[in-house]
Amino acid sequence: MTNKAAVELQKVLDAIKPLDTEYLNKAQERLDKLAIPHGSLGRLMGFGRQYAAVRQNPMPKIQKKRIYTFAADHGVVEEGVSAFPRQVTREMVFNFMRGGAGINVLGRHAGAEVVVVDIGVDYDFPAMDGLRVMKVARGTRNMAKEPAMTRDEALKAIGVGISLAREAARDGVDIIGTGDMGIGNTTPSSAIIAAFAKAPPAEVTSRGTGITDEVLQKKIAVITAALALNKPNPHDPLDVLAKVGGLEIAGICGLIIGAAAERIPVVIDGFISTAGAVVACELNHFIQEYLFAAHLSVEKGHRIMLDRLDLQPLFDLGLRLGEGTGAALGIWLVEAGVKILTEMLTFDEAGVTEGESRF
Amino acid sequence: MTNKAAVELQKVLDAIKPLDTEYLNKAQERLDKLAIPHGSLGRLMGFGRQYAAVRQNPMPKIQKKRIYTFAADHGVVEEGVSAFPRQVTREMVFNFMRGGAGINVLGRHAGAEVVVVDIGVDYDFPAMDGLRVMKVARGTRNMAKEPAMTRDEALKAIGVGISLAREAARDGVDIIGTGDMGIGNTTPSSAIIAAFAKAPPAEVTSRGTGITDEVLQKKIAVITAALALNKPNPHDPLDVLAKVGGLEIAGICGLIIGAAAERIPVVIDGFISTAGAVVACELNHFIQEYLFAAHLSVEKGHRIMLDRLDLQPLFDLGLRLGEGTGAALGIWLVEAGVKILTEMLTFDEAGVTEGESRF
């Protein structure tokens, strides 16, 4: 299994190329002619340019927006690293189905469909609209005692994400957001960035759902122990993902890889989604050009992840919920940038006198 | 005239009270019960709370959103302080009418109506849908040589803004955005904050539409000279506004005052709008509680204004266009916060186990 899946993954990774400068230049040319002081719409203009280049379309339109929220459980929760019990993962999936969670509200607000993916929840859900059951396992194993996943499981979870990106492409989705739900999942996310950045766990670990000082110290100790025990190899991204990652993180990683291969721009959410993006970009660093980082999370490891990816977050509103809530807002802001590129008039079109603006 | 108008203004100012803590507390109570780790939707939660308190409605709904973009000319442009010629003010008004400007695109994106107000453009517009001709004068006078406005003119322009806020209330507008168009208007905005904060003009003056180093030096010298000549009294906000302000800044100031009196929350745009907000808050400091600051402008004086108002911008995307473009995005983000308050389920409602989150 591993070999065949690994070969498949490599094929998808090899299909991902750097953005075509022709489209970047074409977009910039139009942006330079808009009837505004040069560059005065700031980063919004860059969002439009990047989006156009990913789509290879100088006048793109965002019509279909979709957020995939991956849910999974974590064996490491038995170490007592979270403020919430394990069953909350499945309870929140039911809340997503009711439409009453943060991601439902903000997804609706942004006009984005929310698809919830059970990639590893320790519960058998009944069939429900909007829930995709694509379970790879009933949660990870406790990384403080053994590897969280086998390499096979990690590859399989990445494959789930890739297959969803292909589905999105078939459905004509124009932009994808990522989201997560998994009690305990800031622990593997911190472990992943600690492994790649060779950072002391204390420097990349925060309070997740809101743990006390005491639990935070335990969480740091658990991550330190898991890294010492499993020795993930930072030069082998799949090894890191399998040993100290999570199933939803692997799913997000696969979704990002698949989306880049399909040339669908991806807005990554916060800390957990960015952990998936870090693994994806370690596998092929061109993927970074297909990504927008929605926001800066309160989790302190997030800044280190974003710096590693050379991504600047779109906003910082002190969010630390996950689910894809930041991605929903981010999708709408990227869309604003695309409309700046495509709906505004140029000096010529608007009959406005060009000044000597050169800022 | 001055006396009657001043008495009228004082009446409106006196009607503005601090936010009712009962509504702040009621909103906070609900936010505390939402099925998320405590406080994990960050500043979005505060937007919902503040909005509910301004509206005195624990479960408010934003249905009608409107941005007023005030356009006016500036006598000081003859000193050569802008990268664009004076006629661009009127040309941009025509562009607004065509729907091809940044504010049209972002207003549509946010679902907000855009009303353009000619409060002082040096041009006679034909009747056009979406343009309100409420001209107080055909631009200000050159503040480097004489006061920009008489006190009467400043009061009249404030009155225009107040009347528009009343109109908005009658029309059932739930949230108001401010915007500006006026070639040269970063110069009076810098002068206003320099006067109130007693800051050296060089510390609050930037490149506006994109002037060269040489023109920037001239702009700073012009502001310095205008302040020395007119001696605006920082303890008399109307004196500052009249002597070194602008007609659109006075209109925005009045709109903000009127909106607070009508308990309609206002999202202020960037540097020019915030200059109007500064004058409004100098007249009644409770007004600050009715405001959301959309974004941090590239203009360096903006941070000093926002600090003075004790407002934290919602985002920083390097915008420096004005028109209300930042306000459009800001309105949508505030609306997201309101929906968090009113559309999300609590732990009880969602059947989710409450954890021990205490962050």
Side-chain angles (χ1 to χ4, degrees), chain A residues 112-132:
Chain A
E113 181 191 5
V114 177
V115 175
V116 180
V117 185
D118 168 12
I119 195 164
V121 184
D122 186 13
Y123 187 78
D124 292 312
F125 293 103
M128 291 186 281
D129 263 2
L131 177 68
R132 307 290 300 275

Side-chain angles (χ1 to χ4, degrees), chain A residues 35-44 47 83-85 87-88 91-92 95 98 100-102 105-106 108-110 207 209-210 212 298 314 317-321 325 329 332 335-336 339-340 343-345 347 350-359, chain B residues 35-44 47 83-85 87-88 91-92 95 98 100-102 105-106 108-110 207 209-210 212 298 314 317-321 325 329 332 335-336 339-340 343-345 347 350-359:
Chain A
I36 54 170
H38 188 250
S40 60
L41 277 166
R43 292 185 61 201
L44 286 179
F47 303 161
F84 285 85
Q87 79 222 46
V88 169
E91 290 171 352
M92 283 304 299
N95 193 17
R98 264 185 211 102
V105 173
L106 297 184
R108 284 195 298 268
H109 190 44
R207 293 173 191 273
T209 47
T212 59
V298 172
L314 274 59
L317 290 171
L319 307 185
R320 52 185 172 82
L321 176 61
T325 45
L329 301 181
W332 189 85
E335 197 181 2
K339 289 179 175 178
I340 291 301
E343 295 186 14
M344 278 183 68
L345 297 182
F347 281 107
V352 173
T353 308
E354 234 173 301
E356 289 169 351
S357 159
R358 63 192 71 195
F359 191 23
Chain B
I36 54 171
H38 188 250
S40 60
L41 278 166
R43 292 186 62 202
L44 286 178
F47 303 162
F84 286 85
Q87 79 222 44
V88 168
E91 289 171 353
M92 283 304 299
N95 192 16
R98 262 184 213 106
V105 172
L106 297 184
R108 285 195 298 268
H109 189 44
R207 293 174 192 273
T209 47
T212 59
V298 172
L314 275 57
L317 290 171
L319 306 186
R320 51 185 174 83
L321 175 60
T325 46
L329 301 181
W332 189 85
E335 197 181 3
K339 290 180 175 177
I340 291 302
E343 297 186 13
M344 278 183 68
L345 297 182
F347 280 107
V352 173
T353 308
E354 235 173 301
E356 290 169 350
S357 160
R358 62 191 72 194
F359 190 26

Side-chain angles (χ1 to χ4, degrees), chain B residues 18-316:
Chain B
L19 296 191
D20 190 333
T21 51
E22 183 198 329
Y23 289 95
L24 288 168
N25 294 342
K26 242 185 227 169
Q28 190 58 51
E29 241 173 75
R30 181 166 177 88
L31 290 168
D32 285 343
K33 290 185 202 152
L34 296 181
I36 54 171
H38 188 250
S40 60
L41 278 166
R43 292 186 62 202
L44 286 178
M45 307 178 88
F47 303 162
R49 182 176 55 235
Q50 185 187 343
Y51 185 89
V54 173
R55 301 301 274 166
Q56 300 194 347
N57 180 349
M59 293 294 260
K61 216 170 168 157
I62 296 185
Q63 283 170 314
K64 217 164 180 173
K65 308 166 239 181
R66 187 180 287 169
I67 296 163
Y68 286 100
T69 299
F70 292 83
D73 276 307
H74 294 267
V76 72
V77 164
E78 70 187 30
E79 300 292 330
V81 291
S82 177
F84 286 85
R86 183 177 176 90
Q87 79 222 44
V88 168
T89 303
R90 66 169 181 258
E91 289 171 353
M92 283 304 299
V93 170
F94 281 111
N95 192 16
F96 295 154
M97 293 303 111
R98 262 184 213 106
I103 185 54
N104 303 110
V105 172
L106 297 184
R108 285 195 298 268
H109 189 44
E113 181 191 5
V114 177
V115 175
V116 180
V117 184
D118 168 12
I119 195 165
V121 184
D122 186 13
Y123 187 78
D124 293 311
F125 292 104
M128 292 185 281
D129 263 2
L131 177 67
R132 308 289 301 275
V133 178
M134 303 173 87
K135 221 188 274 291
V136 172
R138 298 180 70 103
T140 52
R141 283 169 285 277
N142 180 354
M143 68 172 181
K145 296 189 174 155
E146 58 187 315
M149 293 177 268
T150 63
R151 201 171 174 97
D152 265 12
E153 285 169 333
L155 276 165
K156 211 171 155 193
I158 288 176
V160 167
I162 291 174
S163 73
L164 291 168
R166 286 182 180 149
E167 170 196 87
R170 280 194 304 274
D171 293 348
V173 170
D174 298 302
I175 191 163
I176 288 177
T178 67
D180 70 284
M181 178 67 227
I183 294 301
N185 67 9
T186 56
T187 296
S189 300
S190 291
I192 285 172
I193 187 60
F196 284 119
K198 300 184 185 73
E203 279 177 25
V204 293
T205 305
S206 297
R207 293 174 192 273
T209 47
I211 52 177
T212 59
D213 286 347
E214 198 186 353
V215 179
L216 176 60
Q217 289 316 311
K218 192 197 295 176
K219 181 176 172 183
I220 293 168
V222 164
I223 293 168
T224 306
L227 291 168
L229 173 74
N230 293 297
K231 298 185 183 51
N233 174 5
H235 304 292
D236 179 359
L238 288 177
D239 191 59
V240 174
L241 179 65
K243 286 177 173 167
V244 298
L247 289 157
E248 78 279 56
I249 296 169
I252 290 165
C253 171
L255 180 71
I256 290 168
I257 292 168
E262 298 285 351
R263 298 208 316 264
I264 306 174
V266 180
V267 180
I268 56 174
D269 190 35
F271 191 53
I272 285 81
S273 284
T274 310
V278 165
V279 178
C281 291
E282 293 289 335
L283 289 165
N284 179 336
H285 68 274
F286 297 142
I287 290 174
Q288 183 267 2
E289 303 181 28
Y290 295 77
L291 303 181
F292 296 90
H295 74 110
L296 181 66
S297 166
V298 172
E299 286 287 310
K300 64 185 181 182
H302 197 214
R303 172 66 79 184
I304 294 170
M305 289 179 179
L306 292 175
D307 284 350
R308 192 172 179 84
L309 295 175
D310 197 19
L311 290 174
Q312 203 188 336
L314 275 57
F315 62 91
D316 175 6

